[in-house]
Amino acid sequence: MTTSVARPGQMKPPQTRRRGVSAALFFVLFTCTLRCSGCEKPSNIVLILADDQDVYLGGMTPMKKTQALIGDAGATFSNAFTATPLCCPSRSSILTGRYPHNHAVRNNSLDGNCSSPLWQKGQEATAFPVYLSKQQYQTFYAGKYLNQYGKKETGGVGYVPPGWDQWHALVGNSQYYNYTLSVNGKEEKHGDSYQKDYLTDLILNRSLHFLDSRSPQRPFFIMLSPPAPHSPWIAAPQYEKTFPDVKAPRDGSFDKPGKDKHWLLRQPSNPMTSTSLDFLDNAYRKRWQTLLSVDDMVETLVKKLEALNVLNNTYIIYTSDNGYHTGKCNGLYISVSIFGYLLFVSHLTSCVLNIDLAPTLLDISGLNLSVVNMDGQSFLSQMAPELRNGTARPYFLVEYTGEGHLGPDPACPKLGPGLSQCFPDCVCEDAYNNTYACVRTLVEPNLQYCEFADTESFVEVYNLTSDPHQLENIVKKVDPTLLQAMNQRLIKLQSCEGDSCRAANK
């Protein structure tokens, strides 16, 4: 997840994306700069949501303009996480401010409730855009939405989620060319012309048009969701030759055997083949190349807001739905979020989650948060304690429901049924029994405790102070009373809803 904000008042192949239990952990960098404390008009908001961007593996490194315009001037939240490590359930958490067990989106499949009719009739009807619309915000969306959006079974391109005045949403998963959009409910097909079709540039240009045509009397909310740096990793022509010598980082848990880990991470061969290493280096380099267009997007958008004389009353939030890893034995999904508020530079250690985004946006809009049923909490109190009261979150929940196929994967039949996204060397990204729940605590001891729903009743425990790369599962070494305490915290969080999710942290 990557997030950059500016607020009013101051200016898939082998070992690429395996989902393990610790895949849920995600490090986010939030940058915030408070702009104006007494603006008469409600603040405008721009939310840019990247796809699978990390910070731990250098995902922000190529984005020099974004860091200079927003990141370098803001406050950094060094403890920010996602409640689930996969696109559709994570985006559903961002939209609803709720844990997956409450919004019921389990994975990227239609059976997993991704953009399903049940989701549309239920949780989507109370997502944050609906409340922003009621607050008289002019709302604009462009780019990837949910992985199954626009499919025939989910209402097709004619279905437009509630709360959006302008809708330019991608049908299906991330693409750069040769895709279909739903433009306010009408089908719009695109080809492979860079000037007309490159999706990152297209959604930027349409947002600029929206800014020119909006009513200046009402606040606006813009959400842009570019495909980068998700596969198929197609860079703009001017960036195809950049970073020729860049390789995937070899530190931490790179190419380490999955000893004492869930079976999905134990089964790949080690060390990786030269073919796999070459693939990972190429993917890593291409990811950076696609992000250069997103960096341009941020620069152009900031300049446009400045030209329209609205930059000083606009929050700009740059984030990602979740992170990514290349060749990590433990499946870490790590992400970055930057919220920029100019003239306010500090480092904050308070824990924030992606379920906090929705209540924060509504808090910015002036909505009384007691009228919404969200599990997250606004983090405005962390950025401006003199304006808001808030409490710190000492621990939180991470949960995921694995995805698999009924029959064996043709690429790896020897492993049997129940897996998905397997490659010829029998490295599989997911499985039905890759289903888990974790509790992550940020106070001493700094632990991650996870339980799997599988035939092993597998449990993982990591001390993240001494073992940040999660190389040693210490479940057999820790005091049994501590394990019991973590288990009870996990049970409590797995059944929480609304206020009780926040009370569970006290």
Side-chain angles (χ1 to χ4, degrees), residues 163-468:
W164 298 105
D165 298 320
Q166 290 291 318
W167 181 251
H168 302 255
L170 178 68
V171 173
N173 206 356
S174 285
Q175 295 291 331
Y176 298 80
Y177 294 108
N178 300 306
Y179 54 83
T180 299
L181 293 180
S182 169
V183 179
N184 299 321
K186 302 293 184 181
E187 182 180 77
E188 184 178 283
K189 290 187 175 293
H190 285 265
D192 56 5
S193 166
Y194 171 69
Q195 297 297 332
K196 296 188 298 182
D197 302 313
Y198 194 68
L199 186 57
T200 302
D201 293 353
L202 181 143
I203 64 176
L204 167 65
N205 292 334
R206 296 199 177 181
S207 72
L208 301 179
H209 177 73
F210 168 78
L211 285 169
D212 285 332
S213 61
R214 82 196 193 286
S215 168
Q217 280 72 45
R218 293 167 53 201
F220 60 82
F221 173 79
I222 293 175
M223 186 168 178
L224 302 181
S225 187
H230 196 286
S231 61
W233 309 310
I234 301 177
Q238 66 269 31
Y239 296 131
E240 290 176 345
K241 304 297 183 182
T242 56
F243 312 120
D245 300 320
V246 165
K247 294 184 177 181
R250 261 56 170 180
D251 55 358
S253 58
F254 185 86
D255 200 15
K256 296 290 195 303
K259 181 182 178 182
D260 296 327
K261 296 185 183 297
H262 186 250
W263 76 269
L264 188 63
L265 296 175
R266 297 197 303 263
Q267 54 92 14
S269 59
N270 182 267
M272 284 188 280
T273 65
S274 59
T275 302
S276 294
L277 291 171
D278 289 343
F279 176 88
L280 292 176
D281 289 337
N282 189 47
Y284 189 86
R285 182 169 55 254
K286 287 184 175 181
R287 284 167 55 80
W288 274 23
Q289 292 170 352
T290 67
L291 284 170
L292 293 176
S293 292
V294 183
D295 205 32
D296 291 341
M297 167 191 286
V298 172
E299 179 187 45
T300 302
L301 199 52
V302 169
K303 288 182 177 180
K304 182 66 171 182
L305 295 169
E306 189 171 28
L308 293 172
N309 199 29
V310 296
L311 183 61
N312 284 340
N313 192 32
T314 303
Y315 283 86
I316 304 174
I317 305 174
Y318 182 88
T319 191
S320 173
D321 53 7
N322 49 253
Y324 195 84
H325 73 95
T326 53
K328 304 296 176 179
C329 73
N330 55 341
L332 284 176
Y333 274 75
I334 304 161
S335 298
V336 55
S337 287
I338 305 173
F339 295 87
Y341 289 80
L342 305 180
L343 309 178
F344 178 64
V345 182
S346 65
H347 288 268
L348 304 175
T349 59
S350 301
C351 173
V352 292
L353 304 178
N354 63 344
I355 61 173
D356 297 335
L357 271 169
T360 301
L361 297 175
L362 297 182
D363 198 4
I364 292 171
S365 78
L367 184 73
N368 182 348
L369 296 182
S370 66
V371 305
V372 299
N373 183 25
M374 294 183 173
D375 304 333
Q377 59 194 40
S378 171
F379 52 75
L380 284 189
S381 62
Q382 309 300 327
M383 298 185 297
E386 72 280 5
L387 300 179
R388 297 283 194 282
N389 293 322
T391 57
R393 176 190 280 113
Y395 56 89
F396 61 90
L397 174 69
V398 173
E399 50 193 349
Y400 179 69
T401 301
E403 187 175 352
H405 301 299
L406 293 177
D409 191 294
C412 202
K414 69 178 182 180
L415 290 179
L419 298 105
S420 67
Q421 301 178 69
C422 296
F423 300 93
D425 55 359
C426 294
V427 175
C428 301
E429 293 188 357
D430 210 352
Y432 280 134
N433 68 0
N434 183 37
T435 296
Y436 56 83
C438 309
V439 60
R440 172 77 159 86
T441 169
L442 296 172
V443 294
E444 290 301 328
N446 185 9
L447 297 177
Q448 180 170 298
Y449 170 92
C450 305
E451 297 179 0
F452 282 77
D454 61 9
T455 57
E456 295 180 274
S457 297
F458 193 77
V459 176
E460 279 187 332
V461 183
Y462 297 101
N463 184 324
L464 295 170
T465 299
S466 60
D467 182 22

Side-chain angles (χ1 to χ4, degrees), residues 6-225:
R7 181 215 150 168
Q10 298 137 353
M11 196 246 100
K12 310 204 175 167
Q15 292 184 321
T16 306
R17 291 182 59 212
R18 274 181 289 134
R19 301 178 182 98
V21 53
S22 41
L25 176 62
F26 128 131
F27 178 84
V28 188
L29 175 70
F30 280 98
T31 315
C32 311
T33 315
L34 204 56
R35 286 191 168 177
C36 76
S37 57
C39 297
E40 295 180 2
K41 288 178 58 178
S43 300
N44 307 306
I45 308 169
V46 176
L47 172 60
I48 302 173
L49 182 68
D51 196 351
D52 286 6
Q53 188 174 8
D54 71 281
V55 64
Y56 180 78
L57 295 180
M60 283 302 297
T61 303
M63 303 191 69
K64 306 300 184 185
K65 299 171 184 176
T66 300
Q67 294 190 73
L69 289 168
I70 301 175
D72 291 345
T76 299
F77 283 78
S78 56
N79 287 301
F81 303 85
T82 181
T84 192
L86 192 65
C87 293
C88 198
S90 179
R91 288 167 181 260
S92 301
S93 285
I94 291 171
L95 288 165
T96 64
R98 311 194 82 191
Y99 278 119
H101 70 265
N102 287 325
H103 63 58
V105 178
R106 298 178 295 279
N107 50 49
N108 287 342
S109 68
L110 187 59
D111 289 341
N113 202 30
C114 179
S115 198
S116 70
L118 179 64
W119 154 264
Q120 294 169 1
K121 294 175 183 177
Q123 295 298 316
E124 193 172 51
T126 57
F128 75 76
V130 175
Y131 291 101
L132 288 179
S133 181
K134 291 178 180 178
Q135 291 290 95
Q136 301 303 306
Y137 273 73
Q138 302 164 88
T139 57
F140 173 92
Y141 192 95
K144 175 178 173 178
Y145 184 58
L146 301 174
N147 296 56
Q148 298 296 326
Y149 172 75
K151 305 294 180 64
K152 181 180 178 180
E153 301 88 340
T154 65
V157 297
Y159 173 75
V160 177
W164 298 105
D165 298 320
Q166 290 291 318
W167 181 251
H168 302 255
L170 178 68
V171 173
N173 206 356
S174 285
Q175 295 291 331
Y176 298 80
Y177 294 108
N178 300 306
Y179 54 83
T180 299
L181 293 180
S182 169
V183 179
N184 299 321
K186 302 293 184 181
E187 182 180 77
E188 184 178 283
K189 290 187 175 293
H190 285 265
D192 56 5
S193 166
Y194 171 69
Q195 297 297 332
K196 296 188 298 182
D197 302 313
Y198 194 68
L199 186 57
T200 302
D201 293 353
L202 181 143
I203 64 176
L204 167 65
N205 292 334
R206 296 199 177 181
S207 72
L208 301 179
H209 177 73
F210 168 78
L211 285 169
D212 285 332
S213 61
R214 82 196 193 286
S215 168
Q217 280 72 45
R218 293 167 53 201
F220 60 82
F221 173 79
I222 293 175
M223 186 168 178
L224 302 181
S225 187

